[in-house]
Tab-separated table of all heavy atoms in Angstrom:
chain	number	residue	atom	x	y	z
A	16	GLY	N	25.852	29.075	10.383
A	16	GLY	CA	26.207	28.913	9.035
A	16	GLY	C	26.152	30.121	8.082
A	16	GLY	O	26.143	30.050	6.820
A	17	ALA	N	26.094	31.326	8.809
A	17	ALA	CA	25.869	32.640	7.989
A	17	ALA	C	27.299	33.157	7.612
A	17	ALA	O	28.289	33.078	8.322
A	17	ALA	CB	25.202	33.599	8.971
A	18	GLN	N	27.359	33.699	6.521
A	18	GLN	CA	28.437	34.459	6.009
A	18	GLN	C	28.493	35.928	6.377
A	18	GLN	O	29.550	36.534	6.359
A	18	GLN	CB	28.551	34.355	4.388
A	18	GLN	CG	28.760	32.944	3.922
A	18	GLN	CD	27.542	32.050	3.912
A	18	GLN	OE1	26.366	32.499	3.976
A	18	GLN	NE2	27.663	30.778	3.872
A	19	ILE	N	27.259	36.436	6.685
A	19	ILE	CA	27.191	37.783	7.072
A	19	ILE	C	26.361	37.968	8.378
A	19	ILE	O	25.406	37.124	8.672
A	19	ILE	CB	26.337	38.566	6.015
A	19	ILE	CG1	27.043	38.542	4.705
A	19	ILE	CG2	26.097	39.989	6.414
A	19	ILE	CD1	26.297	39.047	3.493
A	20	ALA	N	26.877	38.866	9.272
A	20	ALA	CA	26.054	39.164	10.529
A	20	ALA	C	25.792	40.627	10.481
A	20	ALA	O	26.677	41.496	10.290
A	20	ALA	CB	27.023	38.816	11.754
A	21	LEU	N	24.463	40.891	10.641
A	21	LEU	CA	24.021	42.249	10.692
A	21	LEU	C	23.542	42.594	12.137
A	21	LEU	O	22.941	41.800	12.794
A	21	LEU	CB	22.696	42.460	9.761
A	21	LEU	CG	22.961	42.139	8.288
A	21	LEU	CD1	21.515	42.264	7.574
A	21	LEU	CD2	23.933	43.115	7.684
A	22	TYR	N	23.879	43.827	12.602
A	22	TYR	CA	23.607	44.221	13.902
A	22	TYR	C	23.527	45.827	13.917
A	22	TYR	O	24.045	46.459	13.042
A	22	TYR	CB	24.491	43.697	15.001
A	22	TYR	CG	25.815	44.479	14.971
A	22	TYR	CD1	26.020	45.443	16.047
A	22	TYR	CD2	26.853	44.282	14.095
A	22	TYR	CE1	27.329	46.069	16.069
A	22	TYR	CE2	27.950	44.922	14.141
A	22	TYR	CZ	28.287	45.893	15.116
A	22	TYR	OH	29.475	46.498	15.187
A	23	GLY	N	22.810	46.321	14.978
A	23	GLY	CA	22.747	47.711	15.189
A	23	GLY	C	23.253	48.097	16.609
A	23	GLY	O	24.369	47.602	16.997
A	24	HIS	N	22.411	48.747	17.394
A	24	HIS	CA	22.624	49.165	18.830
A	24	HIS	C	23.697	50.067	19.114
A	24	HIS	O	23.537	50.989	19.968
A	24	HIS	CB	22.769	47.786	19.555
A	24	HIS	CG	22.811	47.838	21.021
A	24	HIS	ND1	21.705	48.449	21.729
A	24	HIS	CD2	23.710	47.576	22.027
A	24	HIS	CE1	21.958	48.418	23.015
A	24	HIS	NE2	23.168	47.878	23.162
A	25	THR	N	24.784	50.062	18.424
A	25	THR	CA	26.046	50.874	18.840
A	25	THR	C	25.887	52.310	18.269
A	25	THR	O	26.605	53.189	18.649
A	25	THR	CB	27.342	50.318	18.379
A	25	THR	OG1	27.393	50.313	16.996
A	25	THR	CG2	27.527	48.943	19.025
A	26	HIS	N	25.070	52.543	17.201
A	26	HIS	CA	24.910	53.681	16.404
A	26	HIS	C	26.165	53.966	15.661
A	26	HIS	O	26.276	55.099	15.022
A	26	HIS	CB	24.540	54.887	17.383
A	26	HIS	CG	23.232	54.782	17.950
A	26	HIS	ND1	22.466	55.883	18.324
A	26	HIS	CD2	22.417	53.723	18.226
A	26	HIS	CE1	21.335	55.560	18.833
A	26	HIS	NE2	21.276	54.258	18.726
A	27	LYS	N	27.057	53.078	15.503
A	27	LYS	CA	28.341	53.296	14.742
A	27	LYS	C	28.418	52.346	13.631
A	27	LYS	O	28.406	51.068	13.802
A	27	LYS	CB	29.628	53.130	15.640
A	27	LYS	CG	29.579	54.148	16.716
A	27	LYS	CD	30.797	54.034	17.566
A	27	LYS	CE	30.681	55.177	18.715
A	27	LYS	NZ	31.381	54.817	19.890
A	28	ALA	N	28.499	52.835	12.363
A	28	ALA	CA	28.679	52.017	11.214
A	28	ALA	C	29.928	51.222	11.266
A	28	ALA	O	30.964	51.744	11.799
A	28	ALA	CB	28.635	52.895	9.985
A	29	LEU	N	29.948	50.031	10.833
A	29	LEU	CA	31.067	49.149	10.899
A	29	LEU	C	30.987	48.048	9.883
A	29	LEU	O	29.961	47.504	9.529
A	29	LEU	CB	31.239	48.485	12.275
A	29	LEU	CG	32.332	47.517	12.504
A	29	LEU	CD1	33.513	48.191	12.960
A	29	LEU	CD2	31.937	46.395	13.533
A	30	GLU	N	32.256	47.755	9.304
A	30	GLU	CA	32.346	46.640	8.374
A	30	GLU	C	33.688	45.965	8.674
A	30	GLU	O	34.718	46.569	8.658
A	30	GLU	CB	32.366	47.167	6.954
A	30	GLU	CG	32.435	46.049	5.939
A	30	GLU	CD	32.243	46.564	4.486
A	30	GLU	OE1	32.174	47.831	4.376
A	30	GLU	OE2	32.211	45.835	3.543
A	31	LYS	N	33.689	44.616	8.997
A	31	LYS	CA	34.877	43.966	9.331
A	31	LYS	C	34.674	42.417	9.258
A	31	LYS	O	33.590	41.969	9.134
A	31	LYS	CB	35.427	44.232	10.694
A	31	LYS	CG	34.679	43.684	11.901
A	31	LYS	CD	35.306	43.984	13.244
A	31	LYS	CE	34.624	43.296	14.365
A	31	LYS	NZ	35.260	43.652	15.636
A	32	GLU	N	35.857	41.701	9.061
A	32	GLU	CA	35.725	40.264	9.097
A	32	GLU	C	36.139	39.714	10.452
A	32	GLU	O	37.074	40.122	11.147
A	32	GLU	CB	36.809	39.729	8.147
A	32	GLU	CG	36.532	40.139	6.640
A	32	GLU	CD	35.268	39.311	6.082
A	32	GLU	OE1	35.197	38.126	6.398
A	32	GLU	OE2	34.523	39.955	5.249
A	33	GLU	N	35.391	38.697	10.911
A	33	GLU	CA	35.679	38.098	12.134
A	33	GLU	C	35.057	36.667	12.224
A	33	GLU	O	33.972	36.489	11.891
A	33	GLU	CB	35.022	38.938	13.307
A	33	GLU	CG	35.399	38.555	14.669
A	33	GLU	CD	34.796	39.607	15.672
A	33	GLU	OE1	33.676	39.786	15.758
A	33	GLU	OE2	35.628	40.164	16.538
A	34	ASN	N	35.886	35.752	12.714
A	34	ASN	CA	35.460	34.347	12.736
A	34	ASN	C	34.913	33.826	11.390
A	34	ASN	O	33.993	33.033	11.404
A	34	ASN	CB	34.376	34.201	13.872
A	34	ASN	CG	34.854	34.371	15.255
A	34	ASN	OD1	36.028	33.944	15.646
A	34	ASN	ND2	34.076	34.963	16.162
A	35	GLY	N	35.481	34.287	10.387
A	35	GLY	CA	35.054	33.873	9.035
A	35	GLY	C	33.644	34.453	8.604
A	35	GLY	O	33.139	33.941	7.590
A	36	VAL	N	33.154	35.476	9.328
A	36	VAL	CA	31.968	36.101	8.968
A	36	VAL	C	32.258	37.644	8.749
A	36	VAL	O	33.053	38.235	9.385
A	36	VAL	CB	31.024	36.027	10.217
A	36	VAL	CG1	29.776	36.773	10.048
A	36	VAL	CG2	30.771	34.549	10.566
A	37	THR	N	31.563	38.119	7.745
A	37	THR	CA	31.578	39.577	7.574
A	37	THR	C	30.501	40.243	8.459
A	37	THR	O	29.274	39.988	8.414
A	37	THR	CB	31.230	40.020	6.137
A	37	THR	OG1	32.259	39.382	5.301
A	37	THR	CG2	31.240	41.465	5.922
A	38	VAL	N	30.998	41.153	9.349
A	38	VAL	CA	30.138	41.728	10.398
A	38	VAL	C	29.830	43.129	9.910
A	38	VAL	O	30.818	43.853	9.587
A	38	VAL	CB	30.868	41.796	11.712
A	38	VAL	CG1	29.989	42.481	12.771
A	38	VAL	CG2	31.234	40.303	12.160
A	39	LEU	N	28.588	43.448	9.787
A	39	LEU	CA	28.152	44.844	9.319
A	39	LEU	C	27.180	45.517	10.200
A	39	LEU	O	26.149	44.862	10.654
A	39	LEU	CB	27.447	44.569	7.952
A	39	LEU	CG	28.224	43.915	6.808
A	39	LEU	CD1	27.415	43.463	5.646
A	39	LEU	CD2	29.395	44.924	6.403
A	40	ASN	N	27.377	46.681	10.444
A	40	ASN	CA	26.511	47.624	11.194
A	40	ASN	C	26.197	48.798	10.344
A	40	ASN	O	27.042	49.555	9.996
A	40	ASN	CB	27.098	48.070	12.480
A	40	ASN	CG	26.220	48.847	13.366
A	40	ASN	OD1	25.340	49.689	12.968
A	40	ASN	ND2	26.365	48.720	14.738
A	41	PRO	N	24.902	49.083	10.011
A	41	PRO	CA	24.502	50.171	9.148
A	41	PRO	C	24.637	51.589	9.777
A	41	PRO	O	24.552	52.573	9.101
A	41	PRO	CB	23.053	49.813	8.825
A	41	PRO	CG	22.496	49.091	9.995
A	41	PRO	CD	23.668	48.332	10.502
A	42	GLY	N	24.860	51.598	11.123
A	42	GLY	CA	24.905	52.883	11.723
A	42	GLY	C	23.560	53.331	12.191
A	42	GLY	O	22.667	52.373	12.562
A	43	THR	N	23.210	54.513	12.340
A	43	THR	CA	22.021	55.056	12.868
A	43	THR	C	21.312	56.136	11.915
A	43	THR	O	22.067	56.779	11.123
A	43	THR	CB	22.129	55.607	14.140
A	43	THR	OG1	20.800	55.978	14.696
A	43	THR	CG2	23.023	56.824	14.242
A	44	LEU	N	20.008	56.258	12.011
A	44	LEU	CA	19.346	57.348	11.320
A	44	LEU	C	18.699	58.211	12.406
A	44	LEU	O	17.918	59.121	12.036
A	44	LEU	CB	18.324	56.845	10.426
A	44	LEU	CG	18.688	56.055	9.189
A	44	LEU	CD1	17.534	55.422	8.388
A	44	LEU	CD2	19.542	56.961	8.292
A	45	SER	N	19.115	58.157	13.601
A	45	SER	CA	18.500	58.936	14.780
A	45	SER	C	18.731	60.410	14.428
A	45	SER	O	19.797	60.863	13.994
A	45	SER	CB	19.217	58.497	16.065
A	45	SER	OG	18.889	59.412	17.089
A	46	ARG	N	17.671	61.268	14.852
A	46	ARG	CA	17.751	62.641	14.707
A	46	ARG	C	18.992	63.228	15.455
A	46	ARG	O	19.636	64.249	15.112
A	46	ARG	CB	16.571	63.352	15.246
A	46	ARG	CG	15.362	63.270	14.431
A	46	ARG	CD	14.224	64.009	14.952
A	46	ARG	NE	13.705	63.504	16.203
A	46	ARG	CZ	12.679	62.601	16.302
A	46	ARG	NH1	12.136	62.191	15.222
A	46	ARG	NH2	12.373	62.139	17.360
A	47	MET	N	19.318	62.636	16.608
A	47	MET	CA	20.424	63.189	17.523
A	47	MET	C	21.845	62.845	16.993
A	47	MET	O	22.754	63.314	17.416
A	47	MET	CB	20.214	62.619	18.851
A	47	MET	CG	18.813	62.869	19.394
A	47	MET	SD	18.317	64.571	19.233
A	47	MET	CE	18.632	65.156	20.805
A	48	ALA	N	22.027	61.931	16.055
A	48	ALA	CA	23.291	61.531	15.590
A	48	ALA	C	23.985	62.542	14.629
A	48	ALA	O	23.275	63.165	13.819
A	48	ALA	CB	23.198	60.162	14.945
A	49	ARG	N	25.207	62.734	14.933
A	49	ARG	CA	26.013	63.641	14.030
A	49	ARG	C	26.193	62.915	12.665
A	49	ARG	O	26.233	63.625	11.630
A	49	ARG	CB	27.307	64.003	14.655
A	49	ARG	CG	27.171	65.022	15.792
A	49	ARG	CD	28.299	65.776	16.239
A	49	ARG	NE	29.621	65.063	16.163
A	49	ARG	CZ	30.201	64.631	17.382
A	49	ARG	NH1	29.684	64.840	18.533
A	49	ARG	NH2	31.392	64.093	17.312
A	50	GLU	N	26.444	61.659	12.710
A	50	GLU	CA	26.721	60.891	11.495
A	50	GLU	C	25.557	59.914	11.313
A	50	GLU	O	25.313	59.096	12.120
A	50	GLU	CB	28.001	60.212	11.502
A	50	GLU	CG	29.237	61.126	11.597
A	50	GLU	CD	30.498	60.431	11.622
A	50	GLU	OE1	30.564	59.068	11.334
A	50	GLU	OE2	31.530	61.059	11.861
A	51	LYS	N	24.791	60.095	10.242
A	51	LYS	CA	23.618	59.148	9.914
A	51	LYS	C	23.957	58.348	8.698
A	51	LYS	O	24.697	58.771	7.737
A	51	LYS	CB	22.462	59.988	9.628
A	51	LYS	CG	21.885	60.790	10.756
A	51	LYS	CD	20.684	61.617	10.172
A	51	LYS	CE	20.153	62.525	11.365
A	51	LYS	NZ	21.106	63.401	11.986
A	52	SER	N	23.695	57.064	8.765
A	52	SER	CA	23.984	56.152	7.708
A	52	SER	C	23.095	54.926	7.578
A	52	SER	O	22.261	54.640	8.537
A	52	SER	CB	25.449	55.689	7.787
A	52	SER	OG	25.650	55.003	9.006
A	53	TYR	N	23.155	54.249	6.439
A	53	TYR	CA	22.435	52.972	6.293
A	53	TYR	C	23.294	52.081	5.430
A	53	TYR	O	24.490	52.533	4.977
A	53	TYR	CB	21.014	53.085	5.703
A	53	TYR	CG	21.012	53.668	4.196
A	53	TYR	CD1	20.978	52.796	3.082
A	53	TYR	CD2	21.040	54.974	3.883
A	53	TYR	CE1	21.089	53.200	1.833
A	53	TYR	CE2	21.135	55.538	2.625
A	53	TYR	CZ	21.110	54.582	1.575
A	53	TYR	OH	21.067	55.024	0.243
A	54	LEU	N	22.994	50.866	5.351
A	54	LEU	CA	23.740	49.858	4.534
A	54	LEU	C	23.000	49.382	3.332
A	54	LEU	O	21.905	49.082	3.329
A	54	LEU	CB	24.011	48.653	5.485
A	54	LEU	CG	24.799	47.529	4.782
A	54	LEU	CD1	26.263	47.849	4.598
A	54	LEU	CD2	24.629	46.244	5.670
A	55	TYR	N	23.810	49.397	2.194
A	55	TYR	CA	23.328	48.920	0.905
A	55	TYR	C	24.107	47.581	0.707
A	55	TYR	O	25.302	47.595	0.614
A	55	TYR	CB	23.531	49.884	-0.141
A	55	TYR	CG	22.717	49.598	-1.430
A	55	TYR	CD1	21.342	49.925	-1.502
A	55	TYR	CD2	23.372	49.064	-2.577
A	55	TYR	CE1	20.698	49.679	-2.624
A	55	TYR	CE2	22.637	48.855	-3.641
A	55	TYR	CZ	21.276	49.102	-3.686
A	55	TYR	OH	20.570	48.802	-4.823
């Protein structure tokens, strides 16, 4: 019954709609990543 799904693991920031749910990945803050991000 959630409207939002939060996940990580891929190290890639993402925002999309799927199955009536907004799916959000904040990305990564890893030292090794070229692109670092978080979600507000």
